[in-house]
């Protein structure tokens, strides 16, 4: 069968088909020899690829270009010289002004989530953003505060910091770290982790956080944020809850003292929530039809709330809590507490994962709209430098904000020059305007946070979509959401990752398999359970396997093969011996056909095979040959075929795999061998 002149011609012809829908289709007619894969490789001069680390490193180093590498590390050197000033500057200016008006209320509000003074939120919109302007690759993301990340940082701050008047300090906080010191140390640690990820090109690690997991996690975290703001919304004084079940305990505390709420704070909160909801749901869509610039309702709320508080003296007359002292000027640079890093490394790693995943998600969304590329690893470098710089100036870890990013793009922002414009406006707030907000009621900031998180809380409705698309995705969502909500944010993220990996592993073990039959007069082999017009070939079982074949999946592969084909070598061997014994006492000359003559393994969808998988196939080959059954392999990809050949070099067994390029080649070869034997 190795001589090309003796190979069976391969002819496909569908002239006999009379269906009206396919009469107009051209008839396919192909004639070529039947090939084994190795023979086809010789004809086509196949180039074998041997894994060689030294060659790969040599090629990588040979392509190194210092100038290009430096420009990639500092993207501003690429895009700023090509900036179209006349076309883009006005859009960037208006966008920067609009985003700055959002930074002020959001920064002040989200700083409270981190258990820090409100001015910290303005610092975060100034110092790190200037660094991201130089090193970032996204043109539109608005860096600064983000509710979930600020809340996670606040959890660590509350755990390791102590106020000046703390008397019963535990061993953990015996050094009396201030909240600012803990927060800046977290930011510095996050910067270190991001730099390590950049050096080792570990941006791909965030793929562990799937869309389903992030959706559930952010939704549950938003609930944590809402519950944390209940005390300010209702004007209550509550103990600070830490550790697991903090949300449940906080709700219990709120319910216990809700009757003691401050009536003035409750009325103010209700009024501002209603006004902002009406603006977002009614006025904003109407104005969007006439102008791209939205009403800065949060800034308006801050201004009105401050004016009312100052005019009515809410703190003295009604006991409403206000923001209090806001310093002017830029903060003095301070070094993080390096001795605290080992204690907060785990929390910082979780914050890094969440922050980077959310930032990249925002960056990719806006980049897709404007058709440009975002470098995931360069973003790690940009975030690392930004957080490192910010950690010396009282900043928490920065993250991209969805609302600010969408506004920055919608208003007409084209590049990160919009962020620089925003920074200059915020500089005036830091130097002169900040103290004007000292009388701002905290319940107004809490109202801003609650309304801003509406879309994140409504993500709960997406559970139905994920459940309908995939039960595994639905399970990941449910576990992540409820563990994050009931237990804690850290355990919720960990539980979500574990369930996600478990789902991948289990689904990887449940590979798609089927038996194939042939569509008459064609070379098309299809699933016999799904296609009713398919015929099984006499004496041949064609087993299709989709997935990987390795040490972890080899047992499942054998079980599926035996179940689908019905031929398990040990069982058939015992059955054959039993039949042979019966035939010795039988007067009939007929022999019972116990097994199929040939099993063909269709590996067109085999993604990977390791030496353990090859050894499993070799064991099957030997077992089938012992009961007079041939086993062929077909449809291997180049890397899979090369793995078979490498394993063959170390195998002393004379039984070699017969590998064909297509199922049809293997079928025709098997039929030719059968016909030869019958003669």
């Amino acid at each position: 069968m190795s001589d090309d002149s003796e190979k069976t011609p391969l002819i496909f012809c569908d002239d006999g088909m009379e269906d009206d829908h396919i009469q107009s289709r051209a008839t396919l007619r192909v004639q070529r020899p039947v090939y084994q894969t190795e023979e086809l490789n010789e004809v086509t001069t196949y180039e074998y690829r041997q894994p060689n680390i030294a060659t790969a490193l040599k090629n990588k180093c040979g392509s190194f270009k210092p100038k290009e590498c430096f420009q990639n590390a500092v993207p501003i050197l690429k895009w700023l010289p090509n900036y179209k000033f006349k076309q883009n500057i006005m859009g960037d200016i208006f966008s920067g002004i609009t985003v700055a008006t959002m930074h002020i209320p959001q920064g002040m509000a989200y700083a409270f989530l981190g258990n820090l003074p409100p001015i910290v939120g303005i610092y975060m919109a100034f110092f790190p953003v200037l660094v991201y302007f130089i090193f970032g690759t996204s043109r539109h993301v608005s860096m600064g505060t983000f509710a979930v990340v600020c809340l996670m940082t606040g959890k660590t701050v509350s755990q390791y910091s102590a106020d000046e008047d703390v008397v019963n300090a535990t061993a953990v906080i015996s050094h009396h770290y201030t909240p600012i010191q803990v927060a800046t140390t977290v930011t510095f640690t996050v910067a270190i982790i991001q730099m390590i990820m950049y050096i080792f090109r570990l941006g791909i690690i965030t793929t562990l956080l799937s869309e389903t997991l992030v959706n559930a996690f952010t939704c549950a975290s938003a609930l944590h944020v809402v519950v944390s703001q209940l005390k300010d919304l209702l004007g209550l004084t509550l103990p600070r809850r830490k550790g697991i079940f903090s949300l449940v305990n906080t709700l219990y505390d709120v319910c216990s003292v809700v009757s003691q709420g401050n009536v003035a704070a409750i009325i103010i909160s209700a009024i501002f929530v209603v006004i902002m909801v009406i603006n977002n749901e009614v006025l904003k869509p109407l104005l969007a039809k006439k102008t791209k610039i939205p009403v800065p309702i949060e800034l308006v709320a801050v201004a009105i709330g401050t004016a009312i508080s100052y005019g009515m003296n809410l703190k003295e007359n009604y006991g409403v809590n206000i923001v209090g002292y806001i310093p002017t000027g830029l903060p003095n640079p301070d070094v993080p507490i390096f001795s605290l890093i080992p204690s907060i490394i785990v929390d910082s790693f979780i914050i890094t994962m969440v922050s980077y995943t959310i930032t990249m998600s925002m960056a990719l969304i806006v980049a897709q709209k404007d058709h440009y590329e975002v470098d995931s690893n360069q973003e790690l470098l940009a975030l690392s430098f930004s957080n490192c710089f910010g950690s010396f100036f009282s900043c928490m870890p920065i993250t991209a904000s969805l609302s600010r990013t969408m506004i920055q793009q919608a208003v007409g922002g084209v590049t990160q020059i919009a962020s620089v414009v925003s920074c200059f406006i915020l500089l005036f707030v830091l130097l002169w305007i900040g103290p004007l907000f000292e009388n701002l009621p905290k319940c107004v900031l809490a109202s801003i946070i609650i309304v801003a998180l509406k879309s994140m809380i409504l993500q709960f409705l997406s559970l139905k979509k994920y459940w309908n698309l995939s039960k595994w995705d639905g399970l990941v969502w449910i576990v992540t959401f409820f563990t994050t909500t009931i237990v804690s944010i850290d355990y919720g993220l960990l539980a979500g990752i574990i369930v996600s990996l478990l789902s991948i592993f289990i689904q990887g073990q449940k590979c798609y398999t089927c038996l194939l039959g042939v569509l008459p007069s064609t070379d098309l082999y299809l699933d016999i359970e799904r296609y009713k017009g398919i015929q099984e070939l006499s004496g041949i079982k064609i087993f299709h396997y989709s997935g990987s074949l390795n040490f972890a999946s080899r047992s499942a592969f054998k079980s599926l093969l035996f179940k689908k084909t019905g031929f398990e070598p040990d069982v058939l061997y015992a059955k054959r011996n039993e039949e042979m014994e019966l035939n010795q006492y039988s007067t009939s000359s007929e022999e019972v056909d116990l097994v199929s003559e040939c099993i063909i393994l269709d590996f067109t969808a085999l993604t990977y095979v390791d030496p353990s998988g090859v050894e499993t196939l070799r064991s099957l080959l030997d077992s089938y040959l012992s009961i007079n059954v041939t086993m062929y392999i077909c449809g291997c990809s180049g890397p899979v075929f090369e793995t078979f050949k490498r394993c063959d070099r170390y195998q002393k067994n004379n039984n070699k795999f017969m590998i064909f390029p297509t199922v049809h080649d293997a079928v025709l070869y098997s039929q030719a061998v059968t016909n030869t034997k019958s003669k």
Side-chain angles (χ1 to χ4, degrees), residues 571-627:
V571 174
L572 294 176
Y573 186 79
K575 186 176 181 180
R576 188 192 67 173
N577 290 338
E578 181 180 346
E579 289 293 333
M580 289 178 63
E581 292 178 0
L582 292 175
N583 287 343
Q584 291 179 358
Y585 303 99
S586 174
T587 57
S588 174
S589 60
E590 296 182 1
E591 294 185 1
V592 180
D593 185 15
L594 299 177
V595 297
S596 174
E597 294 180 355
C598 176
I599 291 180
I600 298 175
L601 303 180
D602 177 20
F603 283 164
T604 52
L606 182 68
T607 56
Y608 170 76
V609 64
D610 69 355
S612 297
V614 175
E615 186 58 34
T616 299
L617 293 174
R618 197 178 302 282
S619 174
L620 284 172
L621 176 63
D622 294 339
S623 299
Y624 279 127
L625 288 176
S626 68
I627 55 174

Side-chain angles (χ1 to χ4, degrees), residues 265-337:
I266 295 174
I267 294 174
I268 293 172
S269 300
I271 292 174
F272 277 92
V273 167
V274 170
I275 291 174
M276 286 186 286
V277 169
I278 292 175
N279 174 81
N280 293 342
E281 301 299 326
V282 181
L283 299 180
K284 192 174 181 179
L286 293 176
L287 291 175
K289 299 177 181 179
K290 299 180 179 181
T291 177
K292 292 182 178 180
I293 301 176
V295 176
I297 188 64
E298 293 90 352
L299 186 61
V300 172
V302 168
I304 294 176
T306 303
I308 293 175
S309 177
Y310 180 80
M312 299 180 65
N313 198 5
L314 293 179
K315 179 175 177 58
E316 299 296 333
N317 297 334
Y318 300 97
V320 176
N321 292 328
I322 61 174
V323 168
Y325 172 69
I326 296 179
T328 57
L330 301 179
N332 295 322
D334 195 10
V335 178
I337 309 299

Side-chain angles (χ1 to χ4, degrees), residues 34-37 632-636 658-662 665-666 669:
V34 174
Y35 286 111
Q36 291 189 40
T37 299
Y632 301 143
I633 296 172
C634 66
C636 296
M658 296 191 68
I659 305 176
F660 297 86
T662 69
D665 284 277
Y669 185 90

Side-chain angles (χ1 to χ4, degrees), residues 325-392:
Y325 172 69
I326 296 179
T328 57
L330 301 179
N332 295 322
D334 195 10
V335 178
I337 309 299
F338 299 113
S339 60
L340 186 60
I341 292 178
S343 302
I344 62 172
I345 187 70
V346 176
D347 291 341
S348 299
F349 178 75
I350 296 173
I351 293 172
T352 302
M353 293 285 288
V354 174
S355 172
Y356 178 63
T357 301
I358 292 173
T359 299
M360 277 305 301
S361 299
M362 306 298 177
L364 292 173
I365 289 172
V366 293
Q368 187 177 12
K369 289 184 178 180
D370 276 19
H371 309 289
Y372 65 89
E373 297 294 327
V374 175
D375 188 336
S376 59
N377 282 300
Q378 178 62 27
E379 287 297 296
L380 280 170
L381 180 67
L383 289 172
S384 177
F385 283 158
S386 300
N387 283 319
C388 183
F389 185 66
S391 68
F392 294 97

